[in-house]
Amino acid sequence: MAFLALARRRLVARNDSEASAREDFSTLEGTRAFVLPRLIRRLCHTAALAVVFGVALSSTAQAAGALAPPQVGQIIHLHAKHIAFYYNRFVLTAQGNVRVQTGDGATVTGQVFTMDLKLDRFLVAGHVTVTWKGGVLHGAAFSDFLAFHRIYFVPLTTEPDRWTYKNGDFAHPLKGRQMPGDTFDFAHTEGQRPFLTSSSAVIGADSYVRFGPSRMPIFGVQTPLPSFYIGFSSNPNLSQNSLAGSNADITYNITGNAYSTTAVHLRYDTQNKFYYSFEQHLADANKYLVFSVNPLSLPSKYWNLVTGAALSSRFQIHTFSQLHTYQYGFSQPLEVQQASYINLTQAFAESAVQANFQFVNYSLLGQPASGFYGPSTSPHYWIPNHPSSLQLGATTFDHKIGRSPFHYTLNYGIGFNHSSYGLQNFGGVNYTTIWNHYVGGTIYLPSLKIGERYNPYKAYYLNTTFSAQRQWFSVPHHVDSTDLLTSVSRIFNQRLSAYVSYEVQNTGDYYNAGQQVAYSPYVPIIGGVSYPGYAAFKGVATLHTLSLGATWSPNPNFTLSVLARKHTDFPNPEPGLFGLPPTNVLGQSLGMSYLGQPPYDITGDVRVRVLPHLVLDVQRTYFFNFGTLRWSPQFVVQLIP
């Protein structure tokens, strides 16, 4: 419905929308102005909604034993005259007055230190002294394999020997045991420059390193930093993100541990240019919470709160709450909007049920007498709308159809949508509440091999997917949508792969007897030229897309991708009739399939590794001179860590 009806309304009324909005706002009657304590209460209530709900459920589940406490590695404190960290190897080295305090209470001193963070083991060598609660040991080298709870030691004895300790029990050495061949090997860092240097570090085995005052080479200058945190935990919850995309992002991890990360981001995108943001992560094995302010240094700020909790192996909750404020610094806002989303998922043996609740408030400020905040030359209009919706859907897991290579899924859902100011006006009725339900399914053929089945470079892979859905609304109409996609792909060699695909999308918005009211004949006029063929459009659109894509990667540091497409659509595209869809902050189009897309386009994407931990991605699209449209508005450039 939105795909067709909104596109049509944009054609008929796009020039009148701004004037109409200003006219509506000018009729608003004044009420009391914005009061700061009232705003604070509303912001806190909104932000706390998801947190309270998630924490309450998590606490209940933990009390019932549903959550197992996460396993935490040893915490190691390292001090030395010179500590170096090599990012490309994830190796720590230290020299001069090395002092290591282990998690089991022992203190190890020596001349040199090396640790492979990925292998989770460290070595201290040169005049080694081990101090533990039962005494002192002297030796030449000390190696701790943290993951296996094994310590290997070369003691100073009258006869050469090697001792092994299990589980930190220094009172009972296992003498003369065979040791791994690389037990006392040093990491090779010759000819490599360290990522940063420091004199102290806290190491969370298998999860993080937190450095004290450090120095990092930035553009060739040794730049002092008060601290620096590097996380490498396998816990995916610490990788949850609440920031919008950007073309470039330089992240300074201020501090953190096995459960949290605090970071400041210097970012750039095509809309906001340069700005900085703040992000805080909290996570354990089953839950996460991410808070961010982005951009923090610009008037238009988005305050995001993302939470999630796996309350059992089959039940999860995810929430997203966002406040948007337009304010200079932290002064009185000129705009405050709020949006909250709560998603509950319950899995069963053969299916899953999902509930989604959404609530949006377009203004948390009091209604001003003038209808807007700020100066009349750049007004921020007060919008009273506060729509909400609740959707409940069920989807089956993948099932194979007999002995055939085909699989299928089925889905059904029901929804409730409400806005006191109206969601749709049809037949002279303003619908403030719209109920909907849908039923649909998907049949697909996954990667059927054709050709030489046992030679991956001479086999073709056939994939086919067909999806169909019907959605009914309490407004008297229904929407039918189908999507058929077939592709054939081949990997020619280690460097080159390609595919060809054909897709047919059909969307029909059917009002039955009211079809002429919803989609009355309309002949657009653009530049003095009329397009009578558009009058045949009655609410049914069909998009045909033929695609040819190829990827060439001669080495791991370079990738070139090309995608060429031919579109045969109804309604026919006409230059200037629909226009391109809006772009995001990266400059990327927000829609890949839309009414009025140019008949031909070709997109090139180049990805180059410019630094060991930095990739440059450049993309642009050519539209073959469709009207005045030749190239996409801009290059899409991203720096990806």
Side-chain angles (χ1 to χ4, degrees):
M1 177 178 64
F3 176 67
L4 299 174
L6 291 181
R8 175 174 174 79
R9 284 199 288 270
R10 185 173 67 172
L11 283 173
V12 178
R14 62 183 176 183
N15 293 329
D16 300 329
S17 59
E18 184 176 351
S20 176
R22 292 176 181 271
E23 195 174 319
D24 291 341
F25 289 134
S26 66
T27 63
L28 296 174
E29 295 181 2
T31 60
R32 62 194 178 110
F34 167 76
V35 180
L36 184 58
R38 178 169 172 253
L39 173 63
I40 293 175
R41 288 195 301 270
R42 289 184 174 181
L43 297 185
C44 293
H45 291 165
T46 303
L49 173 64
V51 179
V52 171
F53 191 35
V55 170
L57 288 175
S58 300
S59 301
T60 302
Q62 282 183 316
L67 297 179
Q71 298 297 318
V72 182
Q74 282 196 43
I75 305 299
I76 300 167
H77 295 263
L78 171 65
H79 297 269
K81 285 185 177 180
H82 180 83
I83 299 174
F85 174 67
Y86 298 85
Y87 215 139
N88 59 330
R89 298 280 305 279
F90 260 78
V91 165
L92 271 174
T93 64
Q95 296 179 352
N97 296 333
V98 173
R99 180 183 178 88
V100 179
Q101 293 176 285
T102 65
D104 52 18
T107 299
V108 184
T109 61
Q111 293 179 331
V112 294
F113 168 96
T114 182
M115 181 172 187
D116 190 314
L117 297 172
K118 293 296 186 182
L119 295 180
D120 204 19
R121 65 193 198 188
F122 70 85
L123 168 67
V124 180
H127 300 290
V128 174
T129 300
V130 181
T131 304
W132 57 291
K133 61 182 179 181
V136 178
L137 301 171
H138 299 281
F142 177 99
S143 181
D144 193 338
F145 283 42
L146 299 169
F148 299 101
H149 306 285
R150 294 290 190 274
I151 294 174
Y152 304 103
F153 185 58
V154 179
L156 292 179
T157 57
T158 56
E159 296 291 335
D161 200 358
R162 295 187 177 187
W163 297 351
T164 300
Y165 300 96
K166 295 175 61 176
N167 300 316
D169 184 4
F170 292 102
H172 301 89
L174 304 174
K175 300 181 180 182
R177 282 201 172 190
Q178 188 71 24
M179 297 182 180
D182 61 347
T183 298
F184 299 104
D185 287 355
F186 283 92
H188 298 289
T189 58
E190 295 82 0
Q192 302 179 35
R193 294 183 178 181
F195 176 77
L196 63 78
T197 58
S198 182
S199 60
S200 65
V202 178
I203 305 164
D206 249 351
S207 56
Y208 72 93
V209 180
R210 186 176 66 245
F211 296 93
S214 310
R215 287 185 175 272
M216 179 185 296
I218 301 177
F219 300 114
V221 178
Q222 291 293 328
T223 305
L225 300 172
S227 62
F228 199 86
Y229 167 90
I230 297 172
F232 50 94
S233 169
S234 60
N235 182 2
N237 289 335
L238 271 174
S239 301
Q240 296 293 331
N241 177 48
S242 66
L243 297 175
S246 65
N247 298 94
D249 184 305
I250 300 176
T251 304
Y252 172 36
N253 294 314
I254 303 172
T255 187
N257 55 33
Y259 307 103
S260 67
T261 306
T262 303
V264 174
H265 299 255
L266 174 61
R267 320 187 87 208
Y268 175 87
D269 65 57
T270 57
Q271 293 182 11
N272 297 304
K273 306 308 178 186
F274 286 100
Y275 58 93
Y276 65 88
S277 305
F278 171 82
E279 189 172 38
Q280 175 67 51
H281 295 254
L282 298 172
D284 66 11
N286 303 93
K287 303 179 295 299
Y288 62 86
L289 183 151
V290 187
F291 169 76
S292 66
V293 186
N294 177 57
L296 183 60
S297 55
L298 298 179
S300 183
K301 300 177 178 66
Y302 291 89
W303 308 68
N304 300 319
L305 180 66
V306 179
T307 70
L311 304 184
S312 73
S313 61
R314 293 193 172 190
F315 182 71
Q316 297 181 350
I317 175 173
H318 300 277
T319 73
F320 172 71
S321 295
Q322 183 179 82
L323 291 168
H324 172 250
T325 62
Y326 193 96
Q327 57 187 149
Y328 295 94
F330 295 99
S331 61
Q332 174 177 308
L334 302 176
E335 291 182 23
V336 181
Q337 295 95 24
Q338 163 266 328
S340 296
Y341 305 84
I342 298 176
N343 175 280
L344 307 175
T345 302
Q346 174 67 56
F348 298 97
E350 300 292 338
S351 62
V353 175
Q354 193 170 81
N356 295 281
F357 173 73
Q358 302 179 15
F359 176 76
V360 179
N361 196 318
Y362 287 101
S363 183
L364 291 176
L365 303 178
Q367 182 179 1
S370 61
F372 61 84
Y373 284 89
S376 58
T377 54
S378 56
H380 297 261
Y381 290 108
W382 184 81
I383 304 175
N385 292 13
H386 45 273
S388 60
S389 69
L390 177 63
Q391 307 289 327
L392 182 65
T395 303
T396 65
F397 296 149
D398 292 355
H399 294 281
K400 196 172 183 180
I401 303 177
R403 296 184 177 181
S404 74
F406 290 92
H407 298 245
Y408 75 92
T409 62
L410 301 175
N411 55 80
Y412 174 79
I414 186 171
F416 168 83
N417 310 272
H418 177 76
S419 175
S420 57
Y421 289 87
L423 295 169
Q424 182 180 354
N425 194 299
F426 178 72
V429 178
N430 183 30
Y431 288 86
T432 58
T433 298
I434 297 178
W435 290 86
N436 66 275
H437 66 283
Y438 64 88
V439 62
T442 299
I443 299 176
Y444 65 95
L445 174 68
S447 297
L448 179 66
K449 280 189 177 181
I450 303 173
E452 297 189 22
R453 298 174 56 87
Y454 301 104
N455 188 338
Y457 298 128
K458 292 187 177 181
Y460 294 87
Y461 297 86
L462 173 65
N463 288 270
T464 298
T465 302
F466 176 74
S467 299
Q469 179 178 285
R470 171 167 287 190
Q471 188 170 18
W472 295 267
F473 299 87
S474 55
V475 179
H477 77 123
H478 67 272
V479 174
D480 289 342
S481 58
T482 60
D483 189 348
L484 173 64
L485 174 62
T486 299
S487 68
V488 177
S489 60
R490 179 178 171 181
I491 302 173
F492 292 92
N493 50 53
Q494 292 183 344
R495 300 176 178 86
L496 179 64
S497 62
Y499 73 92
V500 60
S501 69
Y502 190 75
E503 183 175 18
V504 181
Q505 297 173 275
N506 188 280
T507 304
D509 189 8
Y510 299 99
Y511 281 80
N512 301 322
Q515 197 75 9
Q516 290 294 324
V517 177
Y519 294 94
S520 57
Y522 171 66
V523 178
I525 300 175
I526 303 173
V529 179
S530 63
Y531 297 89
Y534 186 80
F537 176 62
K538 304 295 183 183
V540 179
T542 303
L543 311 180
H544 300 257
T545 303
L546 175 64
S547 302
L548 174 63
T551 299
W552 179 59
S553 182
N555 58 66
N557 299 320
F558 180 88
T559 301
L560 170 64
S561 300
V562 178
L563 174 62
R565 302 188 301 170
K566 180 184 183 300
H567 308 281
T568 306
D569 301 339
F570 176 81
N572 294 328
E574 299 290 350
L577 182 59
F578 289 98
L580 293 176
T583 59
N584 58 19
V585 295
L586 304 179
Q588 297 170 326
S589 173
L590 292 178
M592 286 294 291
S593 297
Y594 54 92
L595 286 176
Q597 53 194 343
Y600 300 93
D601 63 65
I602 182 169
T603 300
D605 186 287
V606 177
R607 180 167 290 196
V608 182
R609 185 175 300 279
V610 293
L611 292 173
H613 297 279
L614 190 65
V615 172
L616 172 66
D617 187 278
V618 181
Q619 180 188 108
R620 201 168 192 188
T621 301
Y622 180 65
F623 292 108
F624 294 90
N625 297 319
F626 180 64
T628 59
L629 184 61
R630 187 176 184 182
W631 291 95
S632 56
Q634 60 198 12
F635 283 98
V636 179
V637 181
Q638 279 187 282
L639 288 173
I640 305 171

